Amino acid sequence: MIVMKFGGTSVGNADRIRNLSKIVSENIHRKPIVVVSAFNGVTDHLINLAYNALKGDLNLDWLINRYLNVMEELGLDFDLLKEEFKELEVILKGISYLKELNAKILDLVMSFGERTSSKIIAEYLNNVGINARQFNAYDIGLITDSNFGNAEVLEQSYENINKYLSNLKDCVPVITGFIGKDPKGRITTLGRGGSDYTATIIGAAVNAEEVQIWTDVNGIMTADPKVCPNAKVIDALTYEEAYELAYFGAKVLHPKTILPAKRKNIPIRILNSFNPSNKGTYIVANVERKRKVIAIVSKKNINIINIHSPKMFLAYGYLYKIFEVFNIHKIPVDLISTSEVNVSLTIENKYEVAELIKDLKEIADVELYPSRASISLIGKEINQEPNIAGKAFSILGEKGINIEMISSGSSKINISFVVNQELADLCVRELHKVFFENE
Ligand code: ADP
Ligand code: ASP
Ligand code: MG
């Protein structure tokens, strides 16, 4: 049994869906379970619709036309989505009447992307002779906590899904990525890009032989190919490397994707639906290689928070007090760099910081530096070669790029530093030259 997850660009139009059906049928002997994302752009559009509804604009034309075009080309009847569109309209009306929009309502609205794409794909697969059945992940047992917008899957899901899917005979399940339900039956989402995570949750639940992530690039690359055209495909990575790479900014994988696969030792393969014969990237427990740096990733839209308190010199409990504040505000810290009286750390700018800073100011002087980016060099033995950081910093120095914060060693898998966001792409390209192109 294998899990095959198709991302937004792999299901975005009629051609891509035909292509998907070919890939699935070529793998039919491996008993595929298909997980799908929303059509590309649809999740963003649904978010816009929710905000438009708040302003009283309930226009669904763009969405309807998007589906009509695809479905007409595939020979499918738009009535297939009648129920979903009726429900979406009611919800948007509700938002406009109540003038209320929150994470819970947004999750419900976003869920229509995957609920509709999976229905279209299952129907099309049937029309071309593949016995497929559509499922919403929550109807086969995927339950989460109630952290709307970034929900965590509950342990019980694995057994539920296993039970459900092992009772299905001779059909290809086509399952919604990204969404679940909390124990009260409310729809949740697993965080943007979360369909990858759904794929390994299902893979781990059924003990799949492999989880395949079908996307629009030839695999995980030495840098984002959109930023660095010379990026090369990495043949194989360890689970830990893939996690760090995803966590520190490589959009190709949702970071949590690795966890269920690692637990069950299930390999993940990243494949290109535009170039299916390419062998892609393999993610497994152990990889033998000589090179130390395997990729350069960047994460934009982060803030540096600088916390300084000379009066804490030689005092204990300082760090405890600071992290207590982050804990109270439930804001995760990505990178840290400390000295006796100074602590610099980074957080994603999606978190509201006004209250956090107010509380931190009770303890120390606080400065916020917005619009920063972290740059990370990734590799499982990166800390075993002495001159990697030196090499990186000297080239950036030569280019006049100011490094504002350095953090290394905590995971042994990355060396990370922070620069002004506008310089992030340049940094990635320059470092890529040094570590991958000038050898
Ligand atoms: P999908 O819709 O299939 O989930 P995503 O857009 O989420 O696809 O992820 C694929 C994109 O990730 C690629 O188009 C690429 O621009 C980006 N990306 C960022 N970093 C990397 C990397 N190191 N290797 C490969 N792709 C990357
Ligand atoms: N459709 C969701 C998103 O755009 C989930 C995914 O594509 O993985 O974030
Ligand atoms: Mg994705």
Side-chain angles (χ1 to χ4, degrees):
M1 211 182 274
I2 59 171
V3 175
M4 308 177 84
K5 176 260 172 179
F6 292 89
T9 49
S10 301
V11 298
N13 61 38
D15 257 357
R16 305 306 307 144
I17 293 174
R18 284 190 206 102
N19 181 63
L20 173 154
S21 78
K22 191 161 167 271
I23 296 173
V24 171
S25 73
E26 282 165 2
N27 283 281
I28 207 83
H29 58 285
R30 296 180 78 184
K31 297 196 184 318
I33 297 171
V34 175
V35 173
V36 294
S37 291
F39 292 179
N40 63 331
V42 164
T43 308
D44 286 340
H45 188 78
L46 286 164
I47 294 171
N48 288 342
L49 286 181
Y51 281 99
N52 291 347
L54 209 48
K55 293 181 271 172
D57 172 2
L58 298 172
N59 189 333
L60 281 175
D61 289 354
W62 184 92
L63 197 64
I64 291 173
N65 284 329
R66 177 85 192 263
Y67 284 113
L68 267 178
N69 288 339
V70 175
M71 295 177 82
E72 205 174 270
E73 240 194 273
L74 294 175
L76 305 176
D77 193 335
F78 189 69
D79 265 8
L80 182 69
L81 305 183
K82 210 166 63 190
E83 289 302 313
E84 282 73 21
F85 267 89
K86 225 189 311 164
E87 195 185 325
L88 179 60
E89 249 174 78
V90 171
I91 294 162
L92 293 175
K93 252 187 209 148
I95 296 172
S96 83
Y97 279 128
L98 296 170
K99 305 245 172 293
E100 186 172 335
L101 184 56
N102 53 33
K104 194 195 305 175
I105 302 172
L106 265 177
D107 276 3
L108 180 56
V109 173
M110 283 193 280
S111 73
F112 285 92
E114 274 69 11
R115 287 160 65 189
T116 48
S117 67
S118 55
K119 279 187 97 171
I120 292 173
I121 289 160
E123 185 80 358
Y124 181 73
L125 289 177
N126 274 297
N127 286 1
V128 295
I130 297 170
N131 181 18
R133 264 182 76 183
Q134 187 271 352
F135 296 99
N136 294 322
Y138 44 76
D139 291 328
I140 65 165
L142 198 154
I143 46 173
T144 72
D145 64 15
S146 308
N147 187 13
F148 296 98
N150 195 20
E152 189 46 82
V153 62
L154 300 185
E155 193 55 32
Q156 193 194 328
S157 306
Y158 293 94
E159 203 184 314
N160 295 348
I161 294 170
N162 183 295
K163 251 197 209 142
Y164 199 102
L165 291 181
S166 45
N167 284 331
L168 282 183
K169 293 275 170 285
D170 291 332
C171 85
V172 175
V174 178
I175 304 170
T176 53
F178 186 49
I179 61 176
K181 268 188 183 173
D182 77 353
K184 287 189 175 157
R186 301 171 298 187
I187 289 184
T188 55
T189 65
L190 306 180
R192 293 304 305 269
S195 299
D196 301 327
Y197 185 29
T198 308
T200 52
I201 293 165
I202 291 173
V206 302
N207 283 309
E209 108 200 36
E210 174 173 296
V211 173
Q212 301 180 342
I213 307 288
W214 289 87
T215 183
D216 62 349
V217 283
N218 276 340
I220 295 187
M221 308 183 81
T222 48
D224 182 349
K226 290 194 182 105
V227 172
C228 189
N230 295 331
K232 300 169 191 142
V233 175
I234 308 169
D235 291 339
L237 287 105
T238 65
Y239 291 122
E240 289 79 11
E241 288 171 331
Y243 180 82
E244 295 277 310
L245 194 127
Y247 187 84
F248 285 104
K251 188 188 171 218
V252 62
L253 269 188
H254 186 287
K256 285 186 191 162
T257 311
I258 307 303
L259 307 173
K262 183 178 170 200
R263 203 164 78 173
K264 291 281 186 84
N265 205 14
I266 298 169
I268 305 173
R269 212 183 270 282
I270 315 297
L271 293 158
N272 189 353
S273 70
F274 293 77
N275 183 12
S277 60
N278 195 286
K279 70 180 177 28
T281 297
Y282 208 41
I283 304 174
V284 281
N286 291 305
V287 176
E288 289 301 320
R289 77 164 91 78
K290 287 210 187 74
R291 97 169 4 267
K292 301 291 184 234
V293 180
I294 59 150
I296 296 157
V297 298
S298 70
K299 186 168 176 175
K300 292 181 180 165
N301 302 317
I302 65 169
N303 294 320
I304 295 182
I305 298 182
N306 210 10
I307 305 159
H308 184 78
S309 176
K311 62 177 188 285
M312 293 307 287
F313 186 61
L314 292 181
Y316 56 86
Y318 180 40
L319 288 178
Y320 172 81
K321 279 188 192 156
I322 290 172
F323 287 107
E324 183 68 30
V325 177
F326 281 88
N327 190 28
I328 289 166
H329 289 271
K330 294 193 168 34
I331 297 183
V333 171
D334 285 347
L335 298 171
I336 315 169
S337 158
T338 60
S339 69
E340 187 68 53
V341 293
N342 196 73
V343 182
S344 294
L345 34 82
T346 66
I347 58 171
E348 293 179 19
N349 75 357
K350 67 181 181 193
Y351 299 104
E352 195 51 63
V353 288
E355 289 300 310
L356 173 93
I357 289 183
K358 203 169 118 208
D359 289 352
L360 286 171
K361 279 187 172 164
E362 305 275 319
I363 308 169
D365 300 332
V366 183
E367 289 140 29
L368 175 81
Y369 299 95
S371 305
R372 276 12 191 208
S374 65
I375 310 286
S376 305
L377 306 176
I378 311 283
K380 70 183 160 101
E381 289 167 346
I382 205 159
N383 64 340
Q384 289 178 15
E385 197 168 289
N387 65 343
I388 289 177
K391 217 164 141 184
F393 298 150
S394 79
I395 181 67
L396 298 180
E398 272 170 38
K399 299 283 162 192
I401 294 170
N402 185 29
I403 294 167
E404 300 183 22
M405 179 182 154
I406 300 172
S407 168
S408 115
S410 58
S411 76
K412 297 190 176 148
I413 293 179
N414 79 75
I415 296 174
S416 297
F417 51 91
V418 183
V419 298
N420 197 306
Q421 180 164 288
E422 285 165 11
L423 300 170
D425 291 353
L426 175 67
C427 270
V428 170
R429 282 192 290 268
E430 290 300 331
L431 293 170
H432 196 269
K433 274 191 215 153
V434 171
F435 288 101
F436 297 99
E437 297 169 43
N438 293 344
E439 294 174 310

